[in-house]
Amino acid sequence: MVIPHPKEVFEIMKSIPHGKTLTLDDIRNELAKKHNADIACPMTTGIFVSLAAQAYEEGSAHVPYWRTLRKDGELNTKFPGGIERHKKKLKSEGNIVSRRGERWFVNN
C-alpha cells in the first residue's frame, strides 16, 4: 500500500479536464500504479481530496475539486457548499446530474 503525498493527489485532480470527472477510486488506482503498489490508502487520499476542496474555497489553491466524485460517480456531500454547490459546479461544465433515491450522481 502507498500513502500518497498531498501534492500527488492535487496534481491528479488538477489534470482532470473541464467537463470530465474522476472518482476517488480512479485517483487511488492511478497513485497505486505510479508507485507499483497494490492500493493507495483510501483514508489519506480522501483526506487530501477534502483538503484540496478547502484550499480552493480559501483561495490558496486552484484545484477543480468538483471534478472528483465518490464511488460510482456520486457527488460528495462533504465538499464546501454541500451537494447544491457540487451540482452547480458540475452542471456549469456540462455534466448531467441526477438523483437516485437520496443521493446524487453524474450520469456521464
Side-chain angles (χ1 to χ4, degrees), residues 9 22-23 26 29-30 34 39 47 51 53 58 64 66-67 79 92 104-105 107:
V9 176
L22 286 179
T23 66
D26 294 330
N29 289 337
E30 191 171 326
K34 176 183 176 183
I39 189 171
I47 289 168
L51 288 173
E58 293 171 0
W66 57 90
R67 297 177 188 157
F79 280 165
S92 75
W104 290 88
F105 296 83
N107 292 347

Side-chain angles (χ1 to χ4, degrees), residues 34-92:
K34 176 183 176 183
H35 292 281
N36 295 318
D38 56 342
I39 189 171
C41 178
M43 183 176 291
T44 55
T45 306
I47 289 168
F48 298 151
V49 167
S50 293
L51 288 173
Q54 290 299 325
Y56 180 91
E57 289 298 312
E58 293 171 0
S60 61
H62 182 68
V63 179
Y65 68 88
W66 57 90
R67 297 177 188 157
T68 302
L69 306 171
R70 298 177 81 185
K71 189 174 183 153
D72 299 324
E74 184 177 358
L75 276 62
N76 194 329
T77 59
K78 296 180 182 179
F79 280 165
I83 291 294
E84 289 307 312
R85 187 173 311 152
H86 200 178
K87 283 192 309 190
K88 183 177 179 180
K89 287 189 171 288
L90 288 165
K91 287 179 177 181
S92 75

